[in-house]
C-alpha cells in the first residue's frame, strides 16, 4: 500500500509538525490557517499547526491551564475540533501528549486516535481523516546491531567470543546494538572494546542481515551488520558479564569449526577470500556525503569505485536531463 | 555505555516478557517467583512475570476489575510493588498498559516510569531499578527506506523520477519506506511499481546509507538502501500524486547530469562501472539462512563468494575450536 506521500516529502512537514504551536484561543499561523474555530460554549478550543500535506498537529504541552483541564472537557473539545478539521478537508491529526498529561490519551483513543509512538516523557497519537486506509509515515521499524570482525592480517588471527547466557555456546564476532545517533563503524569499534578490551578501527562493511519477527525486538525487525576492523591492541580483557570466552584464533580454524553460527562461518569464509585475493573483493567502503535538503551529512557504503568513474565529468551541455 | 546484556541475550527473555501474566492475587510462575507479596491493606496487589535477567513485567490488560481501579489506588499498589521488587533485587520493571487504560500512565510516571515505546493500542513503560544508568535494550532506532535502480542492460536505460512536492526537482531512483516485516528487495520492487508502473525483479543490493537527525524521522535515524533491479515491463504509468516526472534515460546521461542528488549520481557511476566491467564488481548478492536460536530465516547480503570458499569442509577433527 502506498504511503500518503513519498518518504522525503514528509520530512519537511514533519520537521515542523514536531514542534507545533497550540493554544486555547485562535491563532493565525504563518502558512497555516487556524483550526477548530468557534467551538461550542463550554468546550476547550483546540488549535493546531497545519502542515503542507493536509495534516494538523496539536501539542498539549503548550496549552494554558492544562492542569485544570479535565478529561471530559478535553474530549468534547477534541471532538469539536475533529469535526471542524474534517469539514476543512484535513487528512490527519497528530496529537502530542506529555507523559504527566496522559489522562487525555484514553479520551482521544475513544475518538479513534491510536499511538503512533512514545518515548521517554511524551507520546504521539494520530487520527487518520483521509480517504481509504491510514497512509501516514510510520515510526522506526528496525533495530540496528553491529558486530566487528577484528582481523589481524599479520598473524591471520581473528577475534571471537562466546556469549554468556546462551543456550548454545557458539563462537561469534563481538557486537551489540547501536546507540541512538551512532554510526555503524563506531558501534562496531565500541562494542568490540566493551566486550573484549581490544582497540580497533573501522575498515569496511562486510555484510548486512535483515530479519523479521525475532522475539525480543518488541515486534520490530532487525538489521545486523558485520564490519571488518583492524586491531591496534591485542591483549584481551573481556567483559565477564557478557562473554564466557574470548580468543584470538587462526582464521582457518574459524572457517573449519562447526561450533559457530551460520553467519559467522559465512563471514569467516568471506574474510578468507579477502585475505587471499584482496580485501577489495569483499569490502564496502565508506564515504561521507552532504544531504541535498537538510544540509546534514550521511555515510554511504558501497563497493569501492575506481577513481576515474568518480571524477567523470558532469554537466555536458544540452544533456537530455538539463533540458 | 554497555547495554545490560548482549543483544541476543535479551531476546529470549523479552519474548516471554511481552506476554506476561498479571493478577490481583499471588501467582506462582514457572521459573519465576511471584512478586509484590503482602501489600498494605487497601492497596491493589500487583504481580508480574519474572524474566531471567532480573526484570519483572506487568501487564494491566490481564488485571481483573481494571475498570473499577482508580489511579490513586493503582499508584499506591505500584509503589508497594516497586519497594518489594527492589528489596528482592529486581533490576527493572516493564509495565504494559492498554490505550484505554492510559489513566495509569501518569501515576506510573510520577514514580519514575517513562515510555519505552507505544504503538497502536498499547504502551510500554519501564523503570530501571538496577545500579548505574538504565541499561535496558532500546526500541527500534531506524527507519528503512529502499530505492530501486531499475537498469535495462539491453538498452542501457535507467528508470528515474522527480518527486512532486520537492523544493528542488532532482532526478532520483523511485523508492520509499519499508512496510513492517517487508524484505529489502520486496520494498524496492513494490515502490518502483507503485511510483512508476514498471515491473521488475531484485538483482542485488548496491549501497547503504545511514543518516541521523533527519527531520521527519521522529528523532530517529534512517537507513536508505539502493537495490539493482531488472525490469520486465517498460511502459511507464507513473503515480501523479508522488511523481512530477518519470523517464527511462541513458545511464550515461544520468552520470553526466548535475540535476540529481549526490547519492543518485554516485550509484549511477557504480552502475556504469558494473555495466562495463561486470556487475559482480558492484553487487551484494542475497542468500537466506536459518537463525540458530529462533528457527526463523533471515536474508544475508554480501559480496558474492566463490563456490569453493562456501563449500570448504568444516569440522576438522581436533580443531582448536572444538576442544
Amino acid at each position: 500500500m502506498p504511503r500518503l506521500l513519498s518518504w522525503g516529502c514528509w520530512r519537511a512537514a514533519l520537521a515542523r509538525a514536531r514542534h507545533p504551536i497550540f493554544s486555547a484561543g485562535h491563532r493565525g499561523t504563518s502558512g497555516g490557517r487556524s483550526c477548530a474555530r468557534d467551538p461550542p460554549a463550554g468546550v476547550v478550543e483546540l488549535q493546531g499547526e497545519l502542515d503542507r500535506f493536509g495534516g494538523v498537529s496539536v501539542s498539549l504541552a503548550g496549552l494554558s491551564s492544562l492542569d485544570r483541564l479535565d478529561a471530559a472537557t478535553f474530549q468534547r473539545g477534541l471532538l469539536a475540533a475533529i469535526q471542524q478539521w474534517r469539514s476543512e478537508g484535513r487528512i490527519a491529526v497528530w496529537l502530542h501528549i506529555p507523559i504527566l498529561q496522559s489522562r487525555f490519551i484514553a479520551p482521544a483513543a475513544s475518538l479513534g486516535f491510536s499511538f503512533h509512538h512514545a518515548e521517554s516523557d511524551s507520546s504521539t497519537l494520530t487520527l487518520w481523516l483521509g480517504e481509504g486506509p491510514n497512509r501516514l509515515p510510520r515510526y522506526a521499524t528496525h533495530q540496528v546491531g553491529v558486530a566487528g570482525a577484528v582481523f589481524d592480517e599479520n598473524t591471520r588471527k581473528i577475534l571471537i567470543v562466546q556469549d554468556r547466557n546462551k543456550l548454545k555456546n557458539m563462537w561469534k564476532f563481538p557486537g551489540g546494538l547501536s546507540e541512538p545517533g551512532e554510526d555503524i563503524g563506531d558501534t562496531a569499534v565500541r562494542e568490540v572494546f566493551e566486550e573484549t578490551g581490544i582497540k580497533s578501527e573501522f575498515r569496511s562493511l562486510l555484510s548486512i542481515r535483515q530479519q523479521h519477527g525475532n522475539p525480543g525486538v518488541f515486534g520490530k525487525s532487525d538489521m545486523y551488520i558485520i564490519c571488518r576492523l583492524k586491531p591496534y591492541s591485542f591483549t584481551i580483557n573481556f567483559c565477564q558479564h557478557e562473554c564466557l570466552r574470548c580468543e584470538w584464533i587462526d582464521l582457518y580454524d574459524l572457517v573449519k569449526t562447526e561450533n559457530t553460527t551460520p553467519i559467522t562461518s559465512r563471514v569467516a569464509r568471506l574474510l578468507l577470500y579477502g585475505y587471499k585475493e584482496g580485501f577489495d573483493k569483499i569490502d564496502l567502503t565508506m564515504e561521507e556525503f552532504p544531504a541535498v535538503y537538510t544540509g546534514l551529512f550521511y555515510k554511504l557504503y558501497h563497493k569501492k569505485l575506481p577513481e576515474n568513474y568518480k571524477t567523470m565529468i558532469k554537466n555536458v551541455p544540452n544533456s537530455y536531463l538539463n533540458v
Side-chain angles (χ1 to χ4, degrees), chain A residues 22 36 39-40 42-47 69-85 111:
Chain A
F22 176 97
V43 174
V44 67
E45 182 185 35
L46 298 189
Q47 204 171 43
L69 182 62
D70 67 273
T73 304
F74 168 77
Q75 192 176 37
R76 284 196 302 275
L78 186 59
L79 178 61
I82 291 167
Q83 288 165 344
Q84 180 71 26
W85 292 323
L111 298 178

Side-chain angles (χ1 to χ4, degrees), chain A residues 39-40 66-67 97 120 129 152 173 175 181 190 197 207 214 241 250 255 268-269 281 285 312:
Chain A
L66 190 60
D67 289 338
I97 302 180
S120 186
L129 300 177
D152 181 11
F173 301 120
R190 176 182 55 75
S207 69
N214 203 331
H241 292 294
D250 191 288
V255 164
R269 286 149 196 266
K281 298 273 191 197
T285 54
M312 200 171 268

Side-chain angles (χ1 to χ4, degrees), chain A residues 23-313:
Chain A
S23 77
H26 284 273
R27 204 181 59 75
T29 63
S30 62
R33 287 177 291 151
S34 61
C35 305
R37 297 165 186 273
D38 307 315
V43 174
V44 67
E45 182 185 35
L46 298 189
Q47 204 171 43
E49 177 90 343
L50 307 187
D51 64 50
R52 64 193 180 104
F53 302 111
V56 56
S57 189
V58 177
S59 173
L60 296 197
L63 181 59
S64 58
S65 315
L66 190 60
D67 289 338
R68 285 180 282 118
L69 182 62
D70 67 273
T73 304
F74 168 77
Q75 192 176 37
R76 284 196 302 275
L78 186 59
L79 178 61
I82 291 167
Q83 288 165 344
Q84 180 71 26
W85 292 323
R86 205 185 285 275
S87 74
E88 291 171 353
R90 307 290 160 226
I91 58 162
V93 186
W94 300 81
L95 187 57
H96 307 277
I97 302 180
I99 194 168
L100 291 175
Q101 309 297 344
S102 293
R103 68 186 183 280
F104 300 123
I105 293 174
S110 299
L111 298 178
F113 280 83
S114 61
F115 282 119
H116 183 272
H117 67 274
E119 186 176 7
S120 186
D121 60 359
S122 78
S123 64
T124 296
L125 286 80
T126 53
L127 176 67
W128 177 249
L129 300 177
E131 287 182 13
N134 182 341
R135 285 177 286 135
L136 292 173
R138 295 181 196 277
Y139 196 59
T141 54
H142 284 67
Q143 256 187 1
V144 173
V146 187
V150 188
F151 182 61
D152 181 11
E153 293 174 58
N154 300 320
T155 60
R156 214 176 59 195
K157 297 278 191 189
I158 181 119
L159 185 67
I160 52 170
V161 298
Q162 281 185 3
D163 278 344
R164 194 170 282 281
N165 295 311
K166 282 284 187 182
L167 302 175
K168 302 173 185 176
N169 284 321
M170 291 186 158
W171 291 105
K172 56 182 275 295
F173 301 120
L177 286 178
S178 276
E179 296 286 331
E182 187 177 50
D183 285 334
I184 291 166
D186 294 339
T187 304
V189 167
R190 176 182 55 75
E191 284 284 343
V192 163
F193 181 72
E194 287 173 2
E195 284 193 26
T196 71
I198 298 297
K199 293 177 183 170
S200 64
E201 57 188 30
F202 176 80
R203 275 291 175 269
S204 71
L205 196 155
L206 294 174
S207 69
I208 299 113
R209 178 194 76 182
Q210 188 186 36
Q211 190 169 23
H212 312 292
N214 203 331
V217 193
F218 309 102
K220 297 288 139 184
S221 300
D222 78 76
M223 203 80 93
Y224 174 70
I225 293 168
I226 301 181
C227 297
R228 183 167 72 84
L229 305 183
K230 181 180 177 173
Y232 61 87
S233 84
F234 300 89
T235 305
I236 289 172
N237 177 19
F238 71 89
C239 172
Q240 308 282 336
H241 292 294
E242 291 200 67
C243 305
L244 192 65
R245 298 167 75 185
C246 175
E247 306 277 356
W248 285 108
I249 62 148
D250 191 288
L251 180 57
Y252 274 98
D253 283 327
L254 184 59
V255 164
K256 288 174 187 165
T257 188
E258 283 193 327
N259 191 24
T260 187
T261 63
I263 193 170
T264 308
S265 182
R266 171 56 61 92
V267 172
R269 286 149 196 266
L270 200 64
L271 274 170
L272 187 60
Y273 174 48
Y275 173 67
K276 290 175 76 170
E277 307 193 26
F279 286 115
D280 63 303
K281 298 273 191 197
I282 63 168
D283 284 347
L284 271 69
T285 54
M286 184 274 288
E287 211 168 314
E288 206 163 49
F289 279 81
V292 173
Y293 296 99
T294 59
L296 298 170
F297 284 81
Y298 57 79
K299 283 179 175 159
L300 182 67
Y301 305 81
H302 59 67
K303 267 306 306 284
K304 192 178 174 84
L305 184 64
E307 213 53 37
N308 57 321
Y309 283 90
K310 281 192 193 173
T311 54
M312 200 171 268
I313 291 165

